[in-house]
Amino acid sequence: MEKSRILVVGGTGYLGRRIVRASLDDGHPTYVLYRREIGVDIDKVQILMSFKKQGAHLVEGSFSDHRSLVDAIKQVDVVICAISGVHFRSNQILLQLKLVDAIKEAGNIKRFLPSEFGMDPARMGHALAPGRVPFDDKMVVRKAIEDAGIPFTYVSANCFAGYFVGGLCQLGKIVPSRDSVCLLGDANVKAIFVDEDDIAMYTIKTIDDPRMLNKTLYIRPPENILSQREVVEAWEELIGKELSKSSISVEDFLANLKGQDLATQEGLAHFYHIFYEGCLTNFEIGDGGEEASQLYPEVTYTRVKDYLKQYV
């Protein structure tokens, strides 16, 4: 079967660049939206040039130019958006409403994957403010997609390993300490950790898969469903040393939200829901979704214990 042509929006970003590589590696004709707003960001330009050398097609388009978006979309079969949805980078989720309008006008897209890739926003209506902002925004985009009758796949990838495993599940830390760690509560609540390259690989797997039409892909690698304590223990085993441990109660953790800047409040709220509430693992997937490692058992995903080896 001929591979679908894929347009990646946000292809120079943290996850987007991985999605572009996964698309190329899987043999898809791959198009990367080149936005005029890139200005003199030399790092992004060089990333784009590297994609071009690997065979990607660069397509100029802008959220401020509806016709350019329509023209770009008409060249492909599938659109994947990977623009940022968190405030410590820049929350651009609602810009996707312009993509929805362009996809609707183009009329040729057989699948749209909006920028999600974290917690399932449909299950986060109770989330603490201001952490709920990106979830609410994603639900606005979902409604627009579904109201327009655009075929979709949503991807819930849970915790990015780089941001969570590297820092032993501590907000603001991305490299594991060899001395100490702060445990969140009893540190026994299960979360789910996924290597970012694996997220991209699973995402691309869904593109031509009819089983994922109008469904949510939940990436839950079974060996990566771990508590913070288990992540810490895996690190201790690797370095042959027990870390000094402190802990923070849920009351003290929530009290830390007060007076923080918006991005920090958002991050703290998300950590609360993941590591105190257990929002990633306290539900069954149900009929509206599929689990990635069951759907694609041929994928050899990165285990947390192996991911940590790079820091030794």
Side-chain angles (χ1 to χ4, degrees):
M1 185 176 68
E2 188 176 343
K3 298 272 189 177
S4 290
R5 297 166 297 168
I6 297 173
L7 174 67
V8 181
V9 180
T12 60
Y14 181 68
L15 186 61
R17 70 189 71 174
R18 292 169 165 85
I19 291 173
V20 172
R21 287 199 298 266
S23 178
L24 289 167
D25 289 346
D26 201 45
H28 289 273
T30 304
Y31 297 69
V32 183
L33 192 72
Y34 166 71
R35 291 188 278 171
R36 298 166 195 162
E37 295 89 341
I38 201 168
V40 292
D41 190 329
I42 189 64
D43 290 333
K44 288 187 177 181
V45 170
Q46 289 181 345
I47 291 169
L48 288 167
M49 292 304 104
S50 73
F51 291 156
K52 187 176 180 182
K53 288 179 182 177
Q54 295 169 59
H57 307 275
L58 305 185
V59 183
E60 186 174 351
S62 171
F63 284 116
S64 61
D65 183 348
H66 174 73
R67 178 49 47 192
S68 72
L69 289 180
V70 174
D71 290 345
I73 288 164
K74 283 184 175 179
Q75 299 180 54
V76 300
D77 308 299
V78 172
V79 176
I80 303 175
C81 188
I83 60 177
S84 175
V86 289
H87 282 100
F88 76 88
R89 288 182 179 271
S90 59
N91 183 2
Q92 300 177 320
I93 291 299
L94 291 180
L95 278 177
Q96 293 178 107
L97 296 175
K98 296 179 182 292
L99 265 182
V100 171
D101 289 341
I103 290 170
K104 185 177 179 181
E105 180 175 330
N108 62 297
I109 293 302
K110 67 179 187 182
R111 196 82 64 90
F112 177 38
L113 285 71
S115 185
E116 297 222 354
F117 304 109
M119 292 177 264
D120 181 357
R123 301 182 183 275
M124 298 306 296
H126 67 291
L128 297 175
R132 65 175 297 152
V133 170
F135 305 132
D136 291 345
D137 288 352
K138 288 175 182 179
M139 292 306 295
V140 169
V141 174
R142 282 193 181 191
K143 185 177 188 303
I145 292 168
E146 293 169 25
D147 286 350
I150 297 169
F152 64 84
T153 297
Y154 304 138
V155 179
S156 176
N158 299 298
C159 296
F160 286 15
Y163 283 104
F164 287 86
V165 175
L168 304 179
C169 312
Q170 299 169 101
L171 183 65
K173 298 181 185 296
I174 57 172
V175 177
S177 170
R178 292 174 176 265
D179 300 309
S180 62
V181 63
C182 180
L183 301 179
L184 305 177
D186 65 11
N188 291 322
V189 174
K190 298 284 188 178
I192 306 169
F193 307 95
V194 189
D195 177 273
E196 291 85 340
D197 289 328
D198 294 346
I199 294 171
M201 193 185 322
Y202 281 124
T203 297
I204 295 301
K205 285 280 186 183
T206 70
I207 297 305
D208 291 318
D209 188 346
R211 297 172 296 177
M212 286 311 304
L213 180 63
N214 297 336
K215 284 192 170 185
T216 299
L217 182 76
Y218 293 91
I219 307 179
R220 290 181 165 187
E223 290 189 47
N224 288 359
I225 302 175
L226 303 169
S227 66
Q228 182 192 16
R229 188 177 299 278
E230 288 171 318
V231 173
V232 171
E233 288 172 351
W235 174 240
E236 290 174 329
E237 184 176 343
L238 280 172
I239 64 173
K241 177 184 177 183
E242 186 173 343
L243 302 185
S244 172
K245 299 177 181 67
S246 59
S247 65
I248 181 168
S249 69
V250 63
E251 294 81 11
D252 289 342
F253 188 88
L254 291 174
N256 283 341
L257 268 75
K258 299 175 183 177
Q260 302 282 358
D261 61 82
L262 178 63
T264 302
Q265 286 188 59
E266 182 183 288
L268 287 168
H270 292 179
F271 268 64
Y272 162 74
H273 291 297
I274 294 168
F275 294 107
Y276 290 95
E277 184 182 80
C279 69
L280 302 182
T281 56
N282 63 3
F283 65 91
E284 299 296 326
I285 289 175
D287 294 336
E290 301 287 348
E291 199 286 306
S293 65
Q294 293 183 11
L295 212 56
Y296 309 113
E298 70 276 11
V299 173
T300 302
Y301 64 85
T302 303
R303 275 65 174 169
V304 164
K305 61 184 179 181
D306 294 322
Y307 188 90
L308 282 167
K309 289 178 181 177
Q310 67 186 306
Y311 301 106
V312 174

